Amino acid sequence: MTTHQEKPLNAKTRSARRLRVQLTVIFLTAATLASAQTPGKAPTLTIAPVPVTTTPRAVATMVNLDFRVPPGYHINSNTPKSEFLIPTALKMDLPTDIVLGKIEYPVGEDRAFPFSPDEKLSVYSGDFTIAVAVHPLHSVVPGKYEMRGVLRYQACDNAACYPPKNLPVSFEVKVVKEPPAHHANPAQSPHAH
Amino acid sequence: MKRSPLSLIVVAFVVALMLYFGYHQARHPGAASARLTNFSVAPDFSLEVLGGNTMRLSDLRGKAVMLNFWATWCGPCKIEMPWFVDLQKQYGSQGLQIVGVAMDDASKEDIAKFAKDMGVNYPILIGKEAVGEQYGGVNALPETFLIGRDGKIVDRIIGLEGKAEIEESIKRALNTQPASSRASAAEKTSLQQ
């Protein structure tokens, strides 16, 4: 009996809850679209959380950094096509005894814009990844280390450009002891007779 | 599964909203381009002219001034500059003075090289952040202020707009009267009474 009375109430509650969720979705959609391009407001890049990277000493390990350019904007690639354009560049400041290896930038997308119809620009838009090689030396004490740096970029949309900005970048590297060197030559094995 | 009509309405609304924004953005690639009008007196400043001298904005009182904030790293600014060269030639004799303000970290030599490459025929001033602040921050480039002969701001254009629109604003600035001639006109009227 009680169960029968509760059923319509549950249905109502479910319906109200669904409506609330839908309204939230509408609000977020509208807010995202409205904030995507606010006249005169410089866009801010975001970086996805970087999982802790475990690396043995004396080994170079690549760490991927995932960035996102807000919709409607682009930034110059690391190799823009004009000397006057500001390249996107990552600068890392690593702890002593952890050496920064190669920084791998993605290839820019060649795109023409309303302000540059005849001259294609090399840009990043949407999501892009920069890979950084970290190389802890033999002397590093095993443990967790924080790597800090900044991504310098300069964004534009289809009609305007914004002053260069620096996005703080940080990630953790867990340095472990290097695996023991094993002897691959069976001739030197004590079991060999 | 039965869907309530309310859910369908909500979904349709979201889709319509997204289509509206998508269409709006596609039609106006320069969505960040905004036109604001401010009828207050243009803040006075004194800045170094590329080449050595100093220019004070109030020295140009009586002329229609087009004050263009730009930077060497700004693609849309590069599109406008040849238009400005033409407009200075066309309207200079009628009292138009275009003034470029470089909001750049680049060296004076680089700014001079850029301006020379663009064939700029109007003075380029070395901008300062404080002057940008006087003009509302100048967060997006290009940003252009049209100032009437009376020293009042006639129009403010953020981002790249068409040459025809800029020319219209120039004509409006040229059609204003210097403050002194307005005062003498008022004096004449009062004397006649």
Side-chain angles (χ1 to χ4, degrees):
Chain A
M1 200 55 188
T2 318
T3 321
H4 279 289
Q5 277 175 340
E6 275 177 5
K7 259 190 180 170
L9 272 179
N10 282 344
K12 261 188 187 175
T13 312
R14 269 204 305 274
S15 165
R17 211 171 272 171
R18 201 183 303 148
L19 183 64
R20 265 207 306 273
V21 169
Q22 284 165 340
L23 287 173
T24 307
V25 169
I26 292 171
F27 174 77
L28 288 175
T29 309
T32 307
L33 288 166
S35 67
Q37 278 200 334
T38 310
K41 198 165 182 281
T44 302
L45 257 66
T46 51
I47 179 170
V50 187
V52 178
T53 307
T54 303
T55 176
R57 288 190 294 202
V59 173
T61 302
M62 296 303 286
V63 179
N64 284 340
L65 306 173
D66 299 321
F67 298 96
R68 175 167 289 177
V69 182
Y73 297 96
H74 63 268
I75 61 173
N76 296 314
S77 76
N78 179 246
T79 49
K81 295 188 175 183
S82 159
E83 58 175 314
F84 292 109
L85 298 178
I86 296 171
T88 295
L90 182 69
K91 264 194 178 172
M92 296 299 301
D93 184 17
L94 301 193
T96 320
D97 291 345
I98 297 183
V99 177
L100 178 71
K102 200 182 172 194
I103 299 180
E104 286 178 4
Y105 293 94
V107 176
E109 183 191 351
D110 285 351
R111 273 175 63 183
F113 291 92
F115 61 78
S116 178
D118 306 323
E119 188 187 352
K120 284 189 175 178
L121 303 180
S122 174
V123 300
Y124 301 143
S125 56
D127 294 348
F128 68 97
T129 301
I130 296 176
V132 189
V134 285
H135 187 183
L137 300 180
H138 261 301
S139 51
V140 177
V141 178
K144 270 189 185 173
Y145 292 88
E146 191 176 22
M147 317 284 134
R148 289 173 178 275
V150 286
L151 182 80
R152 185 170 165 78
Y153 64 93
Q154 189 269 304
C156 296
D157 56 33
N158 284 346
C161 288
Y162 302 87
K165 272 184 145 185
N166 288 329
L167 174 73
V169 170
S170 74
F171 58 89
E172 278 190 329
V173 169
K174 189 181 173 190
V175 181
V176 294
K177 283 183 181 170
E178 54 272 51
H182 64 104
H183 304 286
N185 187 352
Q188 287 176 355
S189 165
H191 302 292
H193 296 287
Chain B
M1 202 174 83
K2 213 176 174 186
R3 286 205 175 273
S4 78
L6 189 63
S7 303
L8 290 172
I9 290 169
V10 167
V11 170
F13 178 73
V14 172
V15 171
L17 198 73
M18 291 174 94
L19 284 172
Y20 169 77
F21 276 102
Y23 175 74
H24 190 74
Q25 208 155 322
R27 275 203 63 185
H28 303 279
S33 169
R35 186 171 275 257
L36 304 165
T37 306
N38 186 339
F39 296 100
S40 59
V41 174
D44 197 16
F45 59 79
S46 175
L47 286 173
E48 182 188 340
V49 185
L50 206 59
N53 294 331
T54 300
M55 180 183 273
R56 184 172 280 280
L57 180 69
S58 51
D59 293 345
L60 301 171
R61 200 57 63 82
K63 287 190 167 196
V65 177
M66 192 170 91
L67 192 64
N68 170 243
F69 290 89
W70 67 284
T72 52
W73 41 258
C74 165
C77 304
K78 213 173 151 184
I79 293 293
E80 288 183 334
M81 286 176 132
W83 301 345
F84 295 167
V85 169
D86 290 346
L87 291 166
Q88 181 62 58
K89 276 184 200 157
Q90 194 178 341
Y91 294 101
S93 58
Q94 294 176 41
L96 172 71
Q97 182 58 63
I98 298 178
V99 177
V101 182
M103 301 299 281
D104 231 296
D105 290 337
S107 66
K108 286 175 197 170
E109 290 74 28
D110 283 348
I111 296 170
K113 183 182 181 294
F114 188 95
K116 194 183 170 199
D117 289 353
M118 300 301 295
V120 167
N121 58 354
Y122 49 88
I124 297 289
L125 313 183
I126 307 298
K128 283 183 183 165
E129 214 167 288
V131 173
E133 290 299 324
Q134 285 180 285
Y135 280 79
V138 190
N139 293 318
L141 296 176
E143 185 160 345
T144 302
F145 291 83
L146 276 303
I147 303 165
R149 295 176 193 271
D150 53 1
K152 286 185 180 172
I153 294 172
V154 171
D155 205 353
R156 178 188 186 191
I157 304 166
I158 302 174
L160 181 68
E161 284 212 5
K163 189 181 175 188
E165 284 83 6
I166 296 168
E167 197 169 355
E168 277 309 306
S169 293
I170 287 174
K171 284 178 185 167
R172 284 205 284 135
L174 284 167
N175 280 338
T176 54
Q177 296 225 322
S180 54
S181 71
R182 269 204 318 210
S184 59
E187 256 172 46
K188 268 183 194 172
T189 316
S190 64
L191 281 173
Q192 280 166 359
Q193 285 170 349

